[in-house]
Structure formats: C-alpha cells, structure tokens
Amino acid sequence: MRLNNSYKKISVWALAFLAMSCTNDFLNVSPQGQQPSEDFWVDGNDASKAVNALYANLHSWNNIAFAPIALESMGSDEAEKGSSPSDATFMNQYDQFTITSTEGQLNGFWQGMYQTINLANQVLGNVPGIDMEAGLKDRFLAEAKFLRAYCYFRLVRAFGDVPLRLTLPQSVDEYNLPRAPKEEVYAAIEKDLSEAAAVLPQTYAASDLGRITKGAALALHAKVSMYQKKWGEVKSYTEQVMGLGYSLFPDFESLFRVENENCSESVFEIQCKRIDNNKGASNSQYSQVQGVRGVPEGGWGFNVPTQELADAFEAGDPRRDATIIFRGETTPEGDAIPETGDNPMYNQKSYVPFSQHVSGYTQGSDQNIRVIRYAEVLLMNAEANMELGNAQAALEPLNQVRARARGNESGILPDVTTSDIAELRKAIYHERRVELAMEFDRYFDVVRQGRGPEVFGKKGFTAGKNELWPIPQNEIDLSGGILTQNVGY
C-alpha cells in the first residue's frame, strides 16, 4: 500500500462502489470468511490478530525477496545477480549503479516497507482504545513500534529523506506527505525503539518464541545509532544487550539451519513456517529465490557470492565454506551440488537442505530469516569502543567473534592484538565483512564508513549520488510532485 496515495485510491474506489450500489443492490455481498471492518478493533483477540498480521507481512515478497536483494545486496562487492544470464537482468542495474528511478524493484521495496508501516500504524492507532489486559496491550504496542522502526530504518538508509507517517490519516490533507529530513526520521525511529525497549520482555514462553524482545529493540537501536556515528550510544546499547544472556552459537554453519532457529545467538529473526495444506500461507520465498539451481525442488539461484567475497576470508577460516556453496561440493548436510550450472557459487546462509524440500511448497517456507545476531552486537560494541579510542576494550568482543569461528583449530584466525586505531578499524571492518557476509549489510556498511568510491568505484559507484537509491518515479508521479528526487537521478 503506497504511503501517500493508497488511502486516497481506496477512498475513491469505495465512493464509486457506493454510488453504483445504490442502483445495484445485488452487488452488496459480504466477502466470504472475512471479518467486517466495523466489527474489528473490539477486543484483545482483534488486537492479537492485527499484531500477528504485522509479523506475517515481514516475510512478504517485497520485504524479503527481489526488491531487498536489489536495494540491500546488489550494490555490494560480495554479491551479484546469479541465476541464468538472461533472467531478471534488471538486477544488473543495481550491481553496476546504472539504475534509473523507473526500475520496478524501487517501487516494490518502497511499497513493502510502507505496507508494514501502515499495519503498524493501524495497531498503534486502534489498540489503545480496546478494553483488554493492560500488560498485553502495552506489549502489542511495543512490538508495533519496533517493527515500524525497523522498516523506517531500512527506508532511510536506502533513500535518505522519506515521508514520515506516524499516525493514520484523519483528513484528505494528510494523505500526501513530503519527504521528511533523514534526521527527523532517525529521531522517530529512536523514539519508537526507546519506548519499545522499556516495555518488551527479555524472553517469552515457548508459545510466543520469536516475538520481539527487549534485546532486539536495544540491538536495533545500537545499529541505528551506529549509522549516525553516535558511538557513545552504540556502546551503551550494545553493553545492555551483552548483559541479557545471549551467547554465540558454537557451530557457525549450522547456526543458519531450521533446527537452530531462535537459538542463543538469535536477537531478531523473521519467523517463517510451512503451513500444511495451506500453500498460500507458506509464502516466504527468501530461500527459494537464492537456492541452488538444477536440483529437485531447487531454487532460482539469485544473489550469489562473488569471487571477491570468497577471496576476502583469511586462510582456513571455516566461515568461507559455511557462507558459500561451491559448485561440485558436498554440503555438511550431505547434499551433492551439481558440478555444472549457471553459477559457480550460492548463498549457504539461505540454503535449505534437500531433505527439507517439500514438493508443492515454497523452498524455505520453514526457514527463518536472521536479521540481527549476537555476533553483530559484539562487532558493533568493538567498533564503538574503537571509535571512542578504547582499543583494548574493542579487542575482547572482536576476538570473541573470531574465537567462535576458529573453534578448535588453534592454527587459524589468531586474536587481533593491535592497539593502533587505524589498524584496529581495518580489522573490525574486515570482521564485519566475513562474519556478516550475504546478510544484506555490506553495501550499507561501506557507504556509512565513507568508503563507497574506494570499494565500489570499479563497479560504477559515484560519490555524491550512489550513497542513496533513487526515489521511485511512480511515487513522485502519484504525489503530484510533492515527493522530490535524490541528487543525480
């Protein structure tokens, strides 16, 4: 649902339908199996349905598939289009920085984020008026604030200034909003996360496992602060998370498999579940679009690792083989990858063992999407301490991450010991690159570090332009020119 125009379009359609129904009463048929809107927002059960719908929208196509791959992965040096050369060639425009404002994935990403924001605003606008248990109501509102903040964070780092809608529109004057300065957007994100962290529990019972926690709100707040170079706040928020009982999962490769979802390292995961006899509800395609091509019930092979990424790992680093599926290899789960095919490599973090492919269902319907891991919290803490001049304090969390990767192999990945800030910065940037590879952060990391021309220049990155993606032209047109375009597009 488009932020500035969807409400208007729905209203116009509704009025037209109402006028037609005055003379065609036989058209007034209630939708089958749907709860009428006038009977909704009545009790706690309705509030629960609305919040669950908000969670469910997180794994919709525009939130986790082609559009995020285009905007959040293709600009980096760790991934390229993949699949067959002739399939979805529009992805190359993001990879080579030749993108124009009319390319469709821009609009898909924009719609996906604002649709989730709209669902969050509906919860935040309606649940306060429901007579229900106060503690549960507060938790529902906190979950909605986190998810709204999460989507605005994805928007602001992709586009910069964006329309900021924090309430449901009450009049026609509130439909079409201009872009708000990114500083204002960041302030709204931080307010939502502060309020959410004050309410959300540290843990849940098994029946609610996977819902947003206090740790998730603090960790996302740390990441938002990192993008603004608020290093004191990054240090504070990460230290709070480090005191909540998280730990690194021992086996890096199996960390990403279904059986280890919501483990000790999980801070925030998008929950996915195959619903038997309900293919429409089993709609996460995150793993399918990135899965190995040419195998039974296989994937589409998009968003594949580059040779640059493969070469970035230190000698013997187990994370290389745990991140990249190489053509012709046999995976730890025993799957033989074809020796020939369109792509020499695939993303192993999104990989679904062949034994878990269920005929007729989307590959990866059961596979959660890891968004924030405790390893990233440790690396954010290391970076904050480094930027604050505390080299020794930065080394401990940095080396925790390296030690987990090293395991029992004492001859690899030695501890970082330098106290030189420039060398330490280089080491932390490297560790983020290899630890978080193929997790949709590399492009934005390099941009926030101010290294875009240095790292991506050979791909076509232009300083002063490619730090942001273009505002979708369709949204500018629908706004009647209220929305403006980013520089260079």
Side-chain angles (χ1 to χ4, degrees):
M1 187 175 292
R2 296 182 179 87
L3 172 70
N4 292 323
N5 300 282
S6 294
Y7 299 101
K8 186 183 295 183
K9 290 164 68 178
I10 290 171
S11 298
V12 170
W13 176 87
L15 288 172
F17 185 82
L18 180 61
M20 181 176 64
S21 68
C22 292
T23 57
N24 297 284
D25 291 338
F26 65 89
L27 292 177
N28 286 331
V29 179
S30 298
Q32 295 296 309
Q34 295 185 18
Q35 186 173 352
S37 59
E38 60 269 21
D39 296 336
F40 204 69
W41 306 114
V42 173
D43 55 25
N45 188 47
D46 291 340
S48 179
K49 290 178 183 177
V51 175
N52 288 343
L54 180 53
Y55 275 100
N57 200 60
L58 291 177
H59 56 68
S60 63
W61 175 262
N62 281 332
N63 278 268
I64 53 89
F66 268 15
I69 286 173
L71 276 74
E72 297 181 319
S73 186
M74 283 296 98
S76 76
D77 54 352
E78 71 177 10
E80 55 193 4
K81 179 181 80 69
S83 188
S84 64
S86 61
D87 196 2
T89 56
F90 55 80
M91 288 289 186
N92 292 323
Q93 298 177 45
Y94 296 88
D95 184 57
Q96 299 161 10
F97 297 104
T98 58
I99 189 68
T100 64
S101 62
T102 58
E103 205 296 303
Q105 302 314 305
L106 296 166
N107 215 54
F109 189 83
W110 184 279
Q111 290 182 28
M113 296 306 106
Y114 278 116
Q115 184 179 56
T116 307
I117 289 166
N118 175 48
L119 292 172
N121 284 341
Q122 289 190 48
V123 170
L124 294 166
N126 289 289
V127 169
I130 295 176
D131 183 12
M132 58 180 292
E133 195 273 314
L136 183 59
K137 177 191 288 190
D138 289 344
R139 197 197 82 196
F140 282 164
L141 295 174
E143 290 172 85
K145 287 176 182 177
F146 174 94
L147 294 174
R148 180 171 68 179
Y150 169 60
C151 290
Y152 270 124
F153 174 60
R154 295 176 74 180
L155 282 166
V156 74
R157 71 176 186 172
F159 297 113
D161 302 350
V162 293
L164 182 61
R165 184 177 295 284
L166 300 175
T167 59
L168 296 171
Q170 301 300 312
S171 70
V172 294
D173 297 331
E174 299 178 19
Y175 289 124
N176 202 6
L177 298 181
R179 299 171 69 187
K182 65 180 181 180
E183 294 80 11
E184 186 179 335
V185 179
Y186 272 120
I189 292 170
E190 294 197 82
K191 181 175 184 292
D192 272 351
L193 292 173
S194 292
E195 293 176 0
V199 171
L200 290 167
Q202 292 185 31
T203 60
Y204 289 91
S207 59
D208 283 318
L209 189 65
R211 303 187 83 97
I212 307 301
T213 61
K214 182 183 187 73
L218 290 168
L220 183 57
H221 204 156
K223 192 164 185 172
V224 168
S225 298
M226 180 175 69
Y227 274 74
Q228 300 172 86
K229 302 186 185 303
K230 296 180 177 180
W231 298 114
E233 294 184 16
V234 178
K235 180 176 182 293
S236 174
Y237 292 129
T238 52
E239 286 177 349
Q240 291 179 63
V241 179
M242 291 160 69
L244 293 179
Y246 294 98
S247 62
L248 296 173
F249 191 77
D251 186 329
F252 185 83
E253 193 276 338
S254 64
L255 164 65
F256 297 93
R257 307 286 79 82
V258 170
E259 58 270 21
N260 296 314
E261 292 171 348
N262 302 310
C263 67
S264 63
E265 188 168 339
S266 171
V267 179
F268 172 40
E269 294 183 14
I270 295 175
Q271 306 295 306
C272 301
K273 182 67 176 176
R274 187 187 76 248
I275 308 299
D276 290 337
N277 301 316
N278 191 343
K279 296 177 183 178
S282 304
N283 64 353
S284 171
Q285 293 181 265
Y286 175 81
S287 293
Q288 181 187 44
V289 298
Q290 300 179 78
V292 177
R293 289 171 63 87
V295 300
E297 303 291 334
W300 301 355
F302 286 99
N303 195 44
V304 298
T306 60
Q307 189 61 47
E308 266 190 278
L309 173 60
D311 293 343
F313 291 89
E314 295 167 65
D317 189 339
R319 290 173 295 190
R320 182 177 185 268
D321 284 338
T323 300
I324 303 171
I325 293 178
F326 293 92
R327 190 166 53 194
E329 77 162 88
T330 298
T331 69
E333 289 74 21
D335 294 330
I337 306 302
E339 294 184 358
T340 59
D342 291 320
N343 309 119
M345 291 175 269
Y346 296 95
N347 180 2
Q348 191 153 334
K349 290 181 176 178
S350 64
Y351 153 73
V352 179
F354 300 169
S355 63
Q356 295 176 6
H357 295 185
V358 179
S359 181
Y361 287 85
T362 301
Q363 180 193 139
S365 294
D366 268 333
Q367 185 125 317
N368 286 359
I369 302 165
R370 279 64 169 176
V371 179
I372 302 177
R373 298 189 284 114
Y374 185 56
E376 184 176 11
V377 174
L378 292 174
L379 292 176
M380 287 192 291
N381 181 264
E383 188 169 350
N385 276 302
M386 177 270 296
E387 292 293 352
L388 292 169
N390 303 324
Q392 289 303 310
L395 291 174
E396 182 177 352
L398 172 63
N399 286 323
Q400 282 187 52
V401 174
R402 290 176 66 80
R404 187 270 298 277
R406 181 168 62 241
N408 296 323
E409 300 292 330
S410 59
I412 61 171
L413 300 177
D415 282 355
V416 176
T417 59
T418 183
S419 59
D420 179 82
I421 294 298
E423 289 299 312
L424 185 55
R425 180 180 290 113
K426 183 179 179 181
I428 292 171
Y429 286 177
H430 165 79
E431 205 64 28
R432 281 191 67 90
R433 182 179 191 184
V434 295
E435 174 69 27
L436 304 176
M438 304 304 293
E439 295 182 49
F440 293 68
D441 270 319
R442 170 68 175 172
Y443 165 72
F444 294 111
D445 263 351
V446 170
V447 168
R448 73 173 175 82
Q449 293 158 2
R451 301 189 299 137
E454 170 194 343
V455 178
F456 303 146
K458 59 191 172 186
K459 294 180 51 166
F461 186 101
T462 300
K465 173 184 177 181
N466 294 125
E467 291 83 0
L468 299 172
W469 297 113
I471 302 296
Q473 187 60 45
N474 187 55
E475 296 297 331
I476 294 175
D477 295 342
L478 287 169
S479 76
I482 294 295
L483 295 181
T484 56
Q485 187 54 269
N486 279 326
V487 174
Y489 299 102

